Amino acid sequence: MAGIQISIDTSDLRRADLWLATITGNLDFVSSRAITATAKSIHANLKRRLATGAVNKPTSWTTRGLLVRYATRANPVAVVGFNYGDGSFADMGRMSSMGVPSGRYMDVLARGGIRSAKSTELALRRAGVIRSNQFITPGGYGIGKTNSFGNVTGGNYQRLLSRLGANRDQGVTSNAPSGPGSRGRTAAKRREADLFVDRRKGGAIMQRTGKGPKGGTGIGSGNPGRPQTVGYRRGIKPAFWITEQPRYPVQFPIRVIAERQFKAEVGNHFRQALEWALKNPKRS
């Protein structure tokens, strides 16, 4: 969803208003002022809809990502849309340094369709944890538990990659230890790495539940009291489901909302701008 461009369509204006603006030499000023006023109104309306339930519990990052660019005399076009990275309205915009820009996921909510792979999924694919056509969705337990906004935190995604040995991105190379000895045999380290992939019934990334191993019988060691490392039964729950490519319905059709509002308001904003220009000829 590239930014929605707003420009004057003469069919939306009264002929008398258009004629008067033209003969008084105010058409470029009145047009840019009317377009900007309409864009401001559309921007405010979309933010209000976001905040009141058009999207389930939007984060402040989402609402701040709804941007508006005003019209000028030289370029009588305003733009309303979501940030695709560093303030860009284009879906080829640069990635933001503050995380995934809102435009990259609001695009799917605004238009519907299939979701592209997240960086976490790409890393899991490269590591062979999931297949090249697979995705993950939160399972609701452990590191797959979502917050009040329905999202898994970035920290838990990093733990997921670390514990499955999938941290291979530039600047991120730490993976949870899994070998013998001091790098992998303590109870704390075993708990950290206690995830595994279960490919039955569609597949899931499972996390063990309950307390980890503690002092046991010392079977096989000859040293009573040594922490038990085998035969210790624990429960398992899905942290993430492994799925096919998710497909989303349209949840927030901002183009339809914006176009409808533009047609309803631009004529009135044009008349108001024209009246102002006629009353303030030296400033228009």
Side-chain angles (χ1 to χ4, degrees):
M1 181 197 68
I4 301 167
Q5 297 191 2
I6 300 170
S7 58
I8 286 290
D9 182 346
T10 56
S11 64
D12 296 319
L13 307 176
R14 293 194 313 188
R15 290 186 179 181
D17 293 332
L18 183 61
W19 175 79
L20 185 56
T22 303
I23 66 168
T24 57
N26 287 311
L27 182 59
D28 59 344
F29 171 80
V30 171
S31 295
S32 61
R33 189 179 177 95
I35 292 169
T36 291
T38 309
K40 285 182 179 179
S41 179
I42 292 171
H43 180 245
N45 179 37
L46 292 173
K47 289 193 73 171
R48 185 168 55 252
R49 283 174 176 252
L50 270 177
T52 55
V55 174
N56 184 34
K57 296 182 179 179
T59 64
S60 58
W61 177 237
T62 299
T63 54
R64 289 199 310 271
L66 184 59
L67 309 177
V68 59
R69 181 185 301 152
Y70 300 138
T72 64
R73 284 191 178 190
N75 183 28
V77 177
V79 185
V80 178
F82 279 95
N83 176 23
Y84 280 85
D86 292 338
S88 172
F89 288 102
D91 53 9
M92 297 302 292
R94 294 175 293 167
M95 289 297 290
S96 170
S97 59
M98 296 180 65
V100 178
S102 56
R104 295 187 181 274
Y105 61 88
M106 287 304 299
D107 180 271
V108 177
L109 299 183
R111 294 193 302 186
I114 57 177
R115 174 171 72 75
S116 58
K118 299 177 181 178
S119 59
T120 300
E121 290 159 335
L122 294 175
L124 291 172
R125 291 176 183 180
R126 288 193 296 270
V129 177
I130 61 176
R131 299 187 181 94
S132 60
N133 62 341
Q134 290 181 322
F135 295 73
I136 60 171
T137 58
Y141 177 77
I143 64 172
K145 185 177 181 179
T146 57
N147 58 21
S148 60
F149 298 105
N151 302 318
V152 174
T153 65
N156 276 349
Y157 276 126
Q158 283 299 319
R159 293 184 186 96
L160 170 68
L161 297 180
S162 175
R163 294 172 191 181
L164 293 179
N167 263 342
R168 292 293 182 267
D169 291 337
Q170 182 178 0
V172 181
T173 57
S174 60
N175 288 301
S178 56
S182 62
R183 283 185 50 80
R185 295 296 294 274
T186 68
K189 294 301 181 183
R190 276 198 301 273
R191 284 197 297 273
E192 285 182 2
D194 227 351
L195 295 174
F196 67 94
V197 178
D198 184 349
R199 300 195 183 280
R200 296 171 298 176
K201 298 181 180 180
I205 297 173
M206 308 297 291
Q207 183 169 350
R208 298 191 187 278
T209 68
K211 295 182 179 180
K214 56 184 178 180
T217 62
I219 294 177
S221 68
N223 298 314
R226 179 186 176 191
Q228 185 173 324
T229 58
V230 295
Y232 192 92
R233 293 185 177 275
R234 300 174 66 190
I236 56 172
K237 289 186 178 180
F240 293 90
W241 298 110
I242 299 174
T243 68
E244 297 179 351
Q245 191 168 32
R247 180 175 294 274
Y248 297 117
V250 175
Q251 296 185 43
F252 190 41
I254 73 168
R255 184 172 296 278
V256 173
I257 295 169
E259 290 177 351
R260 186 178 298 154
Q261 186 176 351
F262 176 80
K263 286 185 173 294
E265 294 185 8
V266 69
N268 185 49
H269 288 304
F270 190 89
R271 286 191 294 275
Q272 292 175 356
L274 178 57
E275 291 173 1
W276 190 95
L278 295 175
K279 292 178 180 178
N280 301 274
K282 294 183 179 181
R283 300 180 62 186
S284 59

